[in-house]
């Protein structure tokens, strides 16, 4: 297992649309494991391919106390309800905002072994899936905010990013 390098906003390929997998090869089980390891190393609850430099339609997630999951070529078939809840992002650490999301969704995806799955997700799990799905579309959570909050959060991130990059060069 390996902890992968995280891509920070707005670096490539975070803001472009990720490409679907044509087939699920055996290497994807290993990638899913590495992505989960990386997600846990940074105390996240979800991680998408573009966040580790892979512009492909894959993400992993694990609710607190939940089972780890890997979704490949996911589709959100239904969305219902709307609720605001706090979100952060490993591509934009230390910045948090209340983001509106559907409270119930229906999802279809392949797992890391290529097996099709379809299920319903609610509340926090639905929130994680919508956040990670957005990453595959090149969308980050500030894009879901009103323009004034969005600008404020991006400015906040600019300051944090500078500090992180300075700390990294000092090491
Ligand atoms: Zn994120």
């Amino acid at each position: 297992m390996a902890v992968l390098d995280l891509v920070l906003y707005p670096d490539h390929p975070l803001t472009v649309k990720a490409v679907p997998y044509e087939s699920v090869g055996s290497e994807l089980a290993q990638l899913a494991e590495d992505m989960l390891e990386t997600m846990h190393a940074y105390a996240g609850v979800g991680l998408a391919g573009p966040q580790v430099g892979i512009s492909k339609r894959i993400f992993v997630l694990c609710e607190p106390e939940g089972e780890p999951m890997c979704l490949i070529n996911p589709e959100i078939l239904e969305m219902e309800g709307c609720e605001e809840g706090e979100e952060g992002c490993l591509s934009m650490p230390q910045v948090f905002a209340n983001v509106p999301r559907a409270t119930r969704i229906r999802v279809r995806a392949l797992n890391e072994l290529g097996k099709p799955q379809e299920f319903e997700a609610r509340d926090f799990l639905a929130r994680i899936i919508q956040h990670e799905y957005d990453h595959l579309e090149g969308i980050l959570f500030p894009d879901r905010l009103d323009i004034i909050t969005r600008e404020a959060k991006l400015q906040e991130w600019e300051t944090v990013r500078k500090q992180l990059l300075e700390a990294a060069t000092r090491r």
Side-chain angles (χ1 to χ4, degrees):
M1 296 224 281
V3 173
L4 309 167
D5 287 335
L6 290 179
V7 178
L8 296 181
Y9 180 82
D11 293 351
H12 187 74
L14 282 173
T15 58
V16 300
K17 212 173 145 140
V19 178
Y21 282 97
E22 280 175 30
S23 63
V24 176
S26 55
E27 75 284 0
L28 288 193
Q30 183 61 52
L31 174 61
E33 252 185 58
D34 290 345
M35 286 174 69
L36 280 165
E37 170 106 346
T38 307
M39 183 190 91
H40 287 305
Y42 290 95
V45 291
L47 185 71
Q51 296 184 276
V52 289
I54 298 166
S55 195
K56 292 281 210 171
R57 300 187 82 82
I58 180 171
F59 60 76
V60 295
L61 62 94
C62 190
E63 269 190 292
E65 322 278 314
E67 290 289 311
M69 294 174 70
C70 174
L71 275 69
I72 294 166
N73 296 349
E75 295 167 81
I76 298 183
L77 307 170
E78 293 168 27
M79 296 174 99
E80 204 181 84
C82 183
E83 201 169 76
E84 286 205 346
E86 189 175 69
E87 290 184 23
C89 182
L90 295 183
S91 303
M92 217 180 252
Q94 299 173 40
V95 177
F96 301 90
N98 280 326
V99 183
R101 299 284 187 191
T103 50
R104 188 195 70 86
I105 60 174
R106 187 150 193 91
V107 184
R108 183 157 61 201
L110 302 173
N111 72 4
E112 70 281 13
L113 304 173
K115 193 171 168 237
Q117 40 187 357
E118 194 176 314
F119 59 95
E120 200 175 275
R122 288 172 187 268
D123 304 319
F124 192 51
L125 180 59
R127 176 172 298 278
I128 301 172
I129 292 172
Q130 289 168 84
H131 177 116
E132 299 312 324
Y133 184 86
D134 271 357
H135 275 299
L136 307 185
E137 296 292 295
I139 296 170
L140 276 83
F141 76 86
D143 298 320
R144 295 285 179 193
L145 305 172
D146 66 83
I147 189 150
I148 293 173
T149 318
R150 177 172 190 265
E151 284 310 311
K153 291 295 160 187
L154 289 179
Q155 234 166 46
E156 199 180 316
W157 165 240
E158 199 47 49
T159 311
V160 175
R161 183 185 159 102
K162 269 195 202 119
Q163 287 164 355
L164 289 176
L165 295 180
E166 270 169 32
T169 31
R170 255 185 269 124
R171 263 207 307 267

